[in-house]
Amino acid sequence: MIALSLAEIAEIVGGQTYDIPDPAVQVTGPVVRDSREIEPGSLFVAFVGERVDGHDYARQVVDAGAVAVLATRPVQAPAIVVDDVQRALGALARAVVERLGAHVVALTGSAGKTSTKDLIAQVLQRKGPTVWTPGSLNNEIGLPLTALTATEETQHLVLEMGARGIGHIRYLAGLTPPRIGLVLNVGTAHIGEFGGREQIAQAKGELVESLPKDGVAVLNADDPLVRAMASRTEARVLLFGEAADAAVRAENVRLTEHGQPSFTLHTPTGCSDVTMRLYGEHHVSNALAAAAVAHELGMPVDEIALALSEAGTLSRWRMEVTERPDGVTVVNDAYNANPESMRAALRALAAMGEAARAKGGRTWAVLGQMAELGDEALAEHDAVGRLAVRLNVGRLVAVGGREASWLQLGAYNEGSWGEESVHVSDAQAAVDLLRKELRPGDVVLVKASRSVGLERIAQALLEGFGSSEGEGAVR
């Protein structure tokens, strides 16, 4: 964070100082909510959770080097006391962002937010110091904590914004006002909470409504609900996609034999070829979104194309591709799942299967529940099971309870019988099955909603391989 005195912070957040001998002492380290992350000069934010009260750690964090605690009551340590810690954290983030002078880029969408954010960050790093959301810390706590990691040297601040209801993104955009707002897509993630795609579009569009007149709304030309958001902003609109009228678009899209996308990138300043290290055609849209942001910030097309071609995966469990010594490839995409991302992952698996079959291998889709789909859950799980069959995935292993059984039933009704599809009760049963049947050349995709925890399957297949103790065990 940029250096601020405790007196300045108290004024910004509207708090009262307690047991602070010298209000001129500055916070020079990070702002954290986890006592294990304390560094000298830190400010500790004391949240009250269901099981842990941060106020109980006040003395400990100060002894470890924290300058003070942001709290809702006096503690046995120097503190700035406020009525609402979350609101105070947001106010501090806004004040810091306003002083930075950095380019603030915010993005949202139903699928691909984190992958796209990681691409934007890797591209913009070539232009100057860049801070971006770690993982998926895209809510009312994670977003301001990310913004507060920026320093005077930061030139680009790339912030992912998530929403579980109307008004959430408007609130986040108010904490860290962006000049560039990017909307990727409107899908069915969390449709059970929103009630429908139109409501999701209403929520996602709050980002472009929050842009200033001299800002830029970067919109997906291939998604009608996103394209329609152009009417909801006074900012300039920049379209990306494969549509002919997109200012930043892809042509000659194809996949390498290993399933990595290749295309010609067109921008208003020229064109250049891209071949990505990431897997799956869905990354073309993500790459175009990143290219549009980079173009807006003045990067030449050749430099953008090179950066996209060299970009890797920054966030864990998102199409992490690892080949075991025995030739089995494990694709860990288990961080989260919704119908759109599930279909994209299956298509990526199918593309990778071309090379696998040439080596005598098979494709395996190890899938679990997609959460928060409400009344659409049965139809969406059934459709994913059917798609696995249509894409000629060799084996489907549906893991878990009722929703997983719907995946397997969809595959069965589409014509996947016998051993081609199976329903198992839990992750350990899936690992036991895979250990018995995997052979060199096979490609295994593991994917489900985060709450299911199927990353344990991928980890067991990799970490336990060749181990003499607890081989392949799910922990």
Side-chain angles (χ1 to χ4, degrees):
M1 189 178 83
I2 62 175
L4 292 173
S5 71
L6 293 179
E8 288 177 298
I9 293 174
E11 183 178 359
I12 289 169
V13 302
Q16 298 293 318
T17 58
Y18 285 82
D19 295 330
I20 295 177
D22 183 5
V25 169
Q26 291 187 325
V27 172
T28 57
V31 178
V32 301
R33 61 176 299 195
D34 188 332
S35 61
R36 295 166 296 184
E37 298 175 354
I38 290 295
E39 298 177 14
S42 294
L43 176 67
F44 178 69
V45 185
F47 280 96
V48 179
E50 294 181 2
R51 291 175 292 181
V52 177
D53 185 345
H55 295 78
D56 296 338
Y57 294 84
R59 188 70 256 168
Q60 175 184 323
V61 297
V62 170
D63 290 343
V67 173
V69 178
L70 184 62
T72 56
R73 62 177 185 267
V75 292
Q76 299 301 311
I80 298 172
V81 176
V82 295
D83 292 333
D84 187 323
V85 168
Q86 180 181 303
R87 291 281 176 178
L89 179 65
L92 181 59
R94 174 154 188 152
V96 167
V97 169
E98 288 175 344
R99 298 185 188 196
L100 282 177
H103 297 287
V104 181
V105 179
L107 70 152
T108 191
S110 295
K113 292 189 295 296
T114 300
S115 296
T116 303
K117 172 262 301 176
D118 289 349
L119 284 174
I120 295 172
Q122 291 176 83
V123 174
L124 294 185
Q125 271 191 307
R126 292 172 176 258
K127 187 175 175 62
T130 302
V131 168
W132 63 93
T133 304
S136 293
L137 296 179
N138 58 19
N139 62 12
E140 62 277 5
I141 297 174
L143 181 136
L145 287 175
T146 298
L148 289 170
T149 64
T151 67
E152 291 86 348
E153 290 74 35
T154 301
Q155 294 183 19
H156 312 108
L157 187 57
V158 183
L159 299 170
E160 178 182 331
M161 294 184 175
R164 292 181 178 272
I166 301 297
H168 289 185
I169 289 177
R170 182 177 295 108
Y171 172 75
L172 296 177
L175 300 185
T176 56
R179 192 186 75 82
I180 299 177
L182 162 64
V183 184
L184 293 169
N185 44 55
V186 174
T188 53
H190 311 304
I191 196 169
E193 295 186 357
F194 281 98
R197 292 186 74 225
E198 292 73 16
Q199 288 85 350
I200 295 173
Q202 180 63 35
K204 302 299 184 186
E206 291 172 1
L207 177 56
V208 301
E209 291 176 346
S210 301
L211 295 172
K213 289 183 179 180
D214 63 347
V216 182
V218 180
L219 302 178
N220 186 350
D222 301 329
D223 186 320
L225 289 176
V226 175
R227 182 190 277 262
M229 293 177 190
S231 64
R232 295 170 58 183
T233 183
E234 296 182 333
R236 178 165 51 85
V237 173
L238 180 66
L239 295 178
F240 71 92
E242 295 184 48
D245 63 339
V248 177
R249 66 185 187 279
E251 293 183 355
N252 303 319
V253 177
R254 55 207 179 277
L255 294 177
T256 69
E257 63 176 346
H258 300 293
Q260 294 158 308
S262 181
F263 59 94
T264 300
L265 170 65
H266 287 261
T267 75
T269 60
C271 60
S272 189
D273 292 333
V274 175
T275 298
M276 302 184 74
R277 292 171 54 200
L278 305 179
Y279 293 83
E281 189 172 340
H282 59 290
H283 281 300
V284 173
S285 182
N286 299 341
L288 291 176
V293 171
H295 164 76
E296 179 59 32
L297 290 174
M299 288 185 66
V301 64
D302 288 342
E303 189 175 350
I304 296 171
L306 179 61
L308 291 173
S309 296
E310 294 182 348
T313 301
L314 299 183
S315 302
R316 64 179 184 171
W317 306 340
R318 292 168 174 85
M319 292 301 286
E320 287 183 355
V321 179
T322 307
E323 184 174 349
R324 299 192 327 192
D326 65 346
V328 171
T329 299
V330 179
V331 184
N332 186 349
D333 196 32
Y335 189 84
N336 216 337
N338 56 58
E340 290 76 27
S341 68
M342 192 74 90
R343 288 192 286 270
L346 284 173
R347 292 190 179 100
L349 175 65
M352 297 172 72
E354 296 294 329
R357 282 188 287 274
K359 301 177 182 178
R362 302 157 296 175
T363 51
W364 294 72
V366 183
L367 309 179
Q369 176 193 8
M370 299 175 289
E372 300 174 351
L373 294 179
D375 294 340
E376 302 297 320
L378 173 56
E380 292 291 359
H381 285 86
D382 177 84
V384 167
R386 291 175 182 272
L387 179 62
V389 178
R390 293 171 189 169
L391 291 174
N392 198 29
V393 173
R395 296 288 302 275
L396 170 67
V397 181
V399 185
R402 180 182 59 176
E403 289 82 0
S405 72
W406 294 340
L407 286 166
Q408 195 274 334
L409 183 61
Y412 180 88
N413 289 334
E414 191 66 23
S416 180
W417 304 311
E419 296 182 348
E420 294 173 344
S421 64
V422 62
H423 176 217
V424 299
S425 59
D426 55 29
Q428 185 62 62
V431 170
D432 292 341
L433 172 67
L434 292 163
R435 284 187 56 214
K436 290 177 183 177
E437 300 201 20
L438 286 178
R439 66 192 188 205
D442 284 358
V443 182
V444 186
L445 167 70
V446 182
K447 187 169 182 64
S449 280
R450 182 72 189 91
S451 58
V452 183
L454 288 200
E455 74 279 354
R456 294 174 295 163
I457 296 175
Q459 291 169 338
L461 293 176
L462 294 172
E463 295 172 6
F465 184 75
S467 171
S468 60
E469 181 179 352
E471 182 179 6
V474 173
R475 296 176 178 86

